[in-house]
Amino acid sequence: MGKAPDPVRQPRPPPRGPRRGWILTAVVLLALALLAALLQSRPGSGAASAPAGHFVYYPDQLDKGSPYGKFPIPKDPFHFLPCTPATLPPPLDDDTPERTWAARFDPNPEHWSWANPRDDENGTMREDPYAGRGIFMCGYLDVPLDYTNKSDTRIARLAITKFQVSGLARVDDGAAHIYAGRKSERTIVIEPGGPGGSGTSYAWRFAQNITERFSDGKFDVLGWDPRGVNASLPAVACFPHDASRDHWSLLTSLHYAVAGSPRNQLELVDAMNAAVMRACWERHGDLGRFLGTGLVARDLEEIRIALGEDELTGYLVSYGTGIGQTYAAMFPNSVGRLILDGTEYVRDHRLRGGFGWTALDNATDAWDDGFLGECVNAGPEYCALAKPKDGKPVTLSGLKTRMDVLMASLASRPVAAYLPSSGPTLVTYSALVDSIYGAMYNARSWRALAQTLSELEDGNATLAALTLETSAWYYNPEAPCSPDPIPPSDYELGNLVICADSYDAPGRDDLDWWLSLWGNMTTKNWIAGNSRFYTVLPCRHFTTYWPQPAGVYRGDLNHTLKHPVLLIAETYDPATPLRNGRRLLQEMGTNARLIVHHGYGHSSRDTSACTERIAKAYILNGTLPDEQETDCYADEKPYLYGVKKTVGAAVLAKTQEPLEAWKEHLAELSFLDPRLRPGR
Ligand SMILES: *[C@@H]1O[C@H](CO)[C@@H](O)[C@H](O)[C@H]1NC(C)=O
Ligand SMILES: *[C@@H]1O[C@H](CO)[C@@H](O)[C@H](O)[C@H]1NC(C)=O
Ligand SMILES: *[C@@H]1O[C@H](CO)[C@@H](O)[C@H](O)[C@H]1NC(C)=O
Ligand SMILES: *[C@@H]1O[C@H](CO)[C@@H](O)[C@H](O)[C@H]1NC(C)=O
Ligand SMILES: *[C@@H]1O[C@H](CO)[C@@H](O)[C@H](O)[C@H]1NC(C)=O
Ligand SMILES: *[C@@H]1O[C@H](CO)[C@@H](O)[C@H](O)[C@H]1NC(C)=O
Ligand SMILES: *[C@@H]1O[C@H](CO)[C@@H](O)[C@H](O)[C@H]1NC(C)=O
Ligand SMILES: *[C@@H]1O[C@H](CO)[C@@H](O)[C@H](O)[C@H]1NC(C)=O
Ligand SMILES: *[C@@H]1O[C@H](CO)[C@@H](O)[C@H](O)[C@H]1NC(C)=O
């Protein structure tokens, strides 16, 4: 291995360490207090009672360029600007990032991302089209790359997107309207999982839903891209072009069941993994040391401090629950109202291959009882696979046998197909099983999948081919190459996080052990086993390049927290089985409560009024059930979502176009498990 290039050029000014962060926060608060005092002494000012941590505007200081003044507001640790397409964090090699950033402020409110008007604000400021409307604010936060080494001045620059529910304060001439800044009393910090899921994208897509769901629209919602992810810098991609990654993916995604010689296939995939880890080293040097969950938890604490809130409020999902558990253990006195939904047990990350084999309990249950069982229950009107065969009604055992026959047939020979968009193509066992695994994350995709499998069974592979092609590649041959090429995907980031967390698990070199694990995992779970195995196998080569990742958390998870956390675990979760949530609860004891959410899919997306009620009371009021465990049941059944509410069959048919439904599903999947969802 050659000498590592310096992965992150040193920016100026030097980063804030945690202590400097405190000092800066104190300075900010002091400045705000002084400003507030100043305002109080001025007659006619309406902003006198702004509480600490809220920004206060005064026209004298502000550029009249926009009715809302000038952004970023001085000393705002997030440097927030109203989001526009230009508000991506400035590059790390920029010597004057704050100046570069400030120049990206677009003063025209018509270019900003406002939420829809809210009914309850009707009339208060009718002359202002943006009054009372939430707004998306974009910013960044610089954090130390290595919190454990004060002499390392490199930083990570985290991309931040905040949905501010009550919009912006307006600065009108004549001081008719001077408002205290519109920050809410608490901010719900969100993280969708992965590792590798983008919190900023999650905020764009779900922030308005999340603030309604958990706080009746009262609290702001903040998402961040964890270090290495998406718009945060440095971003981790180990291939220079997505097409280069795709070039190998057919070889490296072959399943155990169709591998011919599993040993030969393992040698090939393992060799490719060695090449990928080497490439990560060549492109990013020692960056791989600084991606583990322990450091991500410290970043989260920096976010809380920058928010100026005494305790963290959050909704963390999937792998995000691993960040949350680690955070709670490292910063027990900062824990406010934290929901961990789709709960993993982060201790499992410490085991060799643990992120993979501890996840397998229930994906096949979701297929058997859910995808097939609920299909039969819903009947042929709602599930294509329930249509009578040869004049006979469909039974569950009959349907199971049919699907076994279909999968066995694909394993022995793929089905040929033609698409105008891709030309000749194949429906393969490996690609179809990986898509089925993805579908188990979200029961709203099941109608489309049932339609696809039904047509495939009847000898028409067109829809199946279309379905598989939507997630076959990272490279999109139809995306325009100019003016700016799309940067390569950060796919490898997830592997580096998982591998950093398990770096000291013994016995990682033993290829025979991995071969045995592969067989065991696919035997235990034909849907999830292969995908999960390939996610952890690269760790065999991690310590070759990064033998000592920094800041990995190895302590207990049972610390006494300022407030108990609320865990939600699902009975049919294909990625974070209930068993893991229960094991976590066992360790956390009275520092946690668990909702056992009886429903399908990954995290509590199978909506239950009971879960919603408990979660809202917790986020809004801090109240929790007395019992350690509470059972909640999903309100509706798969295949029948919204059926009762729908007036006509025509409306129903319109919402169920299978390929569109599938694309919607893939968009959601990209947050929870980006590795299950190539293609953009
Ligand atoms: C909102 O304003 C419109 C007139 O602009 C009025 O007709 C309507 O009743 C108002 N709605 C509410 C909820 O106040
Ligand atoms: C700490 O950072 C300095 C400066 O980059 C570096 O020379 C030193 O090796 C680092 N120490 C450790 C233990 O990583
Ligand atoms: C949030 O989204 C979910 C899933 O799409 C939906 O069931 C729920 O009704 C939404 N909640 C709110 C408050 O908008
Ligand atoms: C990542 O960031 C870019 C901006 O560079 C954004 O357009 C994109 O939607 C983000 N999310 C994902 C999942 O790529
Ligand atoms: C999930 O898997 C566990 C085994 O770990 C099993 O006991 C449980 O019944 C499964 N859940 C469902 C809903 O099938
Ligand atoms: C095959 O399926 C596609 C997609 O559902 C459909 O458009 C096409 O008409 C079908 N072809 C035949 C011959 O049935
Ligand atoms: C796979 O299963 C066999 C039989 O239960 C067991 O002996 C072996 O240790 C397992 N291998 C791994 C890597 O867990
Ligand atoms: C946490 O659990 C460990 C055993 O794993 C025990 O030794 C320790 O006392 C516990 N700590 C607290 C605060 O309960
Ligand atoms: C929060 O507490 C208030 C006052 O006790 C109560 O009126 C309200 O219903 C509670 N909200 C929720 C969501 O439980």
Side-chain angles (χ1 to χ4, degrees):
M1 127 188 51
K3 189 179 176 309
D6 188 12
V8 188
R9 258 168 288 178
Q10 237 167 269
R12 264 175 287 153
R16 304 182 292 108
R19 192 163 302 151
R20 293 197 54 183
W22 275 109
I23 293 169
L24 190 58
T25 307
V27 170
V28 171
L29 292 180
L30 191 65
L32 288 171
L34 283 173
L35 189 57
L38 193 69
L39 288 169
Q40 206 147 20
S41 67
R42 296 193 185 208
S45 156
S49 58
H54 291 228
F55 299 115
V56 179
Y57 305 138
Y58 197 78
D60 295 357
Q61 307 178 301
L62 296 168
D63 185 1
K64 306 256 164 55
S66 101
Y68 304 89
K70 192 175 174 180
F71 293 88
I73 294 170
K75 305 244 162 91
D76 172 3
F78 293 113
H79 317 278
F80 278 126
L81 300 178
C83 298
T84 68
T87 49
L88 288 170
L92 287 173
D93 60 4
D94 188 333
D95 286 344
T96 55
E98 298 198 7
R99 197 191 304 161
T100 304
W101 179 251
R104 292 183 187 174
F105 172 53
D106 177 340
N108 185 347
E110 287 174 26
H111 298 165
W112 304 349
S113 296
W114 301 92
N116 290 330
R118 283 156 58 123
D119 293 345
D120 55 338
E121 300 281 337
N122 195 6
T124 52
M125 280 205 30
R126 201 92 47 80
E127 75 275 17
D128 177 355
Y130 304 116
R133 285 168 68 172
I135 188 168
F136 284 91
M137 302 295 286
C138 287
Y140 64 91
L141 184 68
D142 289 348
V143 296
L145 189 64
D146 185 1
Y147 291 89
T148 68
N149 181 357
K150 296 251 183 298
S151 42
D152 189 339
T153 55
R154 294 175 297 172
I155 59 162
R157 179 161 288 157
L158 305 178
I160 310 271
T161 297
K162 182 170 98 156
F163 180 63
Q164 187 152 288
V165 287
S166 55
L168 290 176
R170 201 182 155 97
V171 183
D172 280 334
D173 273 351
H177 304 288
I178 304 171
Y179 296 142
R182 297 292 186 92
K183 181 187 176 305
S184 62
E185 171 194 334
R186 286 173 182 267
T187 305
I188 305 173
V189 179
I190 56 174
E191 217 292 316
S198 160
T200 59
S201 303
Y202 191 49
W204 279 107
R205 193 175 170 93
F206 290 111
Q208 298 186 68
N209 182 287
I210 286 170
T211 182
E212 284 301 329
R213 197 177 158 197
F214 298 125
S215 75
D216 288 332
K218 194 171 155 205
F219 296 151
D220 298 342
V221 175
L222 180 148
W224 91 102
D225 287 342
R227 42 178 61 210
V229 174
N230 200 47
S232 284
L233 299 171
V236 175
C238 302
F239 286 85
H241 309 287
D242 283 337
S244 322
R245 183 191 296 104
D246 292 338
H247 170 69
W248 294 101
S249 67
L250 275 178
L251 283 175
T252 57
S253 60
L254 213 55
H255 278 216
Y256 192 93
V258 292
S261 159
R263 177 93 216 181
N264 289 355
Q265 173 65 13
L266 185 68
E267 297 284 357
L268 184 143
V269 176
D270 185 59
M272 190 64 206
N273 287 338
V276 170
M277 286 295 178
R278 153 106 191 259
C280 293
W281 168 260
E282 296 287 348
R283 291 173 62 82
H284 298 292
D286 69 347
L287 180 60
R289 287 189 62 216
F290 308 114
L291 300 172
T293 304
L295 296 183
V296 178
R298 291 191 192 229
D299 293 342
L300 181 51
E301 179 67 349
E302 292 295 304
I303 289 170
R304 178 193 68 77
I305 292 166
L307 277 169
E309 297 182 17
D310 291 341
E311 45 184 58
L312 181 72
T313 304
Y315 177 65
L316 310 175
V317 183
S318 189
Y319 162 72
T321 72
I323 301 172
Q325 293 160 45
T326 307
Y327 177 88
M330 292 173 70
F331 305 101
N333 295 324
S334 300
V335 175
R337 300 170 187 173
L338 268 192
I339 298 181
L340 308 183
D341 188 0
T343 312
E344 58 175 30
Y345 186 30
V346 78
R347 255 183 206 280
D348 293 341
H349 290 210
R350 303 177 191 181
L351 310 170
R352 180 171 45 154
F355 186 87
W357 57 261
T358 61
L360 300 180
D361 292 61
N362 297 118
T364 51
D365 299 321
W367 169 267
D368 291 339
D369 299 352
F371 179 71
L372 301 180
E374 299 294 355
C375 169
V376 173
N377 292 344
E381 198 184 341
Y382 302 104
C383 176
L385 285 170
K387 288 196 186 102
K389 279 273 172 199
D390 310 319
K392 293 199 201 92
V394 172
T395 64
L396 180 53
S397 67
L399 181 55
K400 274 186 186 161
T401 307
R402 275 167 52 199
M403 290 299 106
D404 289 347
V405 169
L406 178 65
M407 297 315 294
S409 150
L410 278 171
S412 57
R413 183 182 165 91
V415 175
Y418 169 79
L419 297 175
S421 51
S422 337
T425 183
L426 293 178
V427 176
T428 68
Y429 175 88
S430 302
L432 188 61
V433 174
D434 286 344
S435 281
I436 289 173
Y437 186 32
M440 294 306 106
Y441 278 55
N442 177 11
R444 285 173 201 273
S445 71
W446 290 359
R447 266 203 210 185
L449 181 64
Q451 178 75 26
T452 304
L453 294 180
S454 167
E455 291 183 13
L456 185 62
E457 193 188 21
D458 291 343
N460 182 346
T462 303
L463 187 55
L466 276 168
T467 297
L468 299 186
E469 288 284 352
T470 53
S471 51
W473 306 112
Y474 282 90
Y475 172 63
N476 175 2
E478 283 167 5
C481 310
S482 59
D484 294 317
I486 300 169
S489 144
D490 54 17
Y491 181 92
E492 289 75 25
L493 179 276
N495 295 108
L496 294 174
V497 173
I498 291 163
C499 298
D501 284 1
S502 65
Y503 79 103
D504 52 359
R508 68 176 55 251
D509 283 347
D510 183 352
L511 199 60
D512 291 334
W513 182 87
W514 289 102
L515 182 62
S516 158
L517 182 70
W518 191 18
N520 288 3
M521 285 176 68
T522 44
T523 304
K524 175 164 183 177
N525 194 315
W526 66 274
I527 294 173
N530 208 95
S531 166
R532 285 276 159 173
F533 175 75
Y534 280 154
T535 299
V536 293
L537 181 62
C539 296
R540 196 166 170 263
H541 300 283
F542 179 80
T543 48
T544 308
Y545 300 99
W546 308 280
Q548 279 287 326
V552 175
Y553 180 72
R554 285 289 179 257
D556 291 327
L557 303 175
N558 57 357
H559 300 163
T560 303
L561 309 180
K562 188 171 178 196
H563 293 292
V565 300
L566 177 62
L567 312 177
I568 309 178
E570 293 72 20
T571 51
Y572 281 101
D573 196 308
T576 53
L578 172 58
R579 198 169 74 88
N580 295 353
R582 285 218 167 109
R583 286 153 67 229
L584 175 65
L585 181 70
Q586 175 80 28
E587 177 165 359
M588 294 189 79
T590 54
N591 290 295
R593 302 289 187 279
L594 172 66
I595 295 177
V596 176
H597 184 99
H598 295 258
Y600 296 106
H602 180 39
S603 80
S604 63
R605 66 193 51 251
D606 207 357
T607 311
S608 157
C610 161
T611 299
E612 301 298 287
R613 182 169 32 76
I614 294 171
K616 190 180 283 185
Y618 176 59
I619 293 289
L620 268 180
N621 287 354
T623 49
L624 278 166
D626 295 332
E627 307 78 36
Q628 281 285 91
E629 274 193 34
T630 306
D631 287 291
C632 284
Y633 293 83
D635 301 334
E636 294 180 290
K637 288 292 186 191
Y639 301 101
L640 301 172
Y641 297 123
V643 163
K644 279 189 201 135
K645 286 177 225 142
T646 310
V647 255
V651 182
L652 197 62
K654 197 165 166 250
T655 57
Q656 298 306 322
E657 206 281 295
L659 202 59
E660 287 314 307
W662 189 255
K663 285 181 178 164
E664 180 77 12
H665 154 63
L666 291 178
E668 285 205 21
L669 196 57
S670 69
F671 296 109
L672 302 164
D673 194 341
R675 282 176 313 283
L676 279 176
R677 194 246 172 268
R680 294 190 279 179

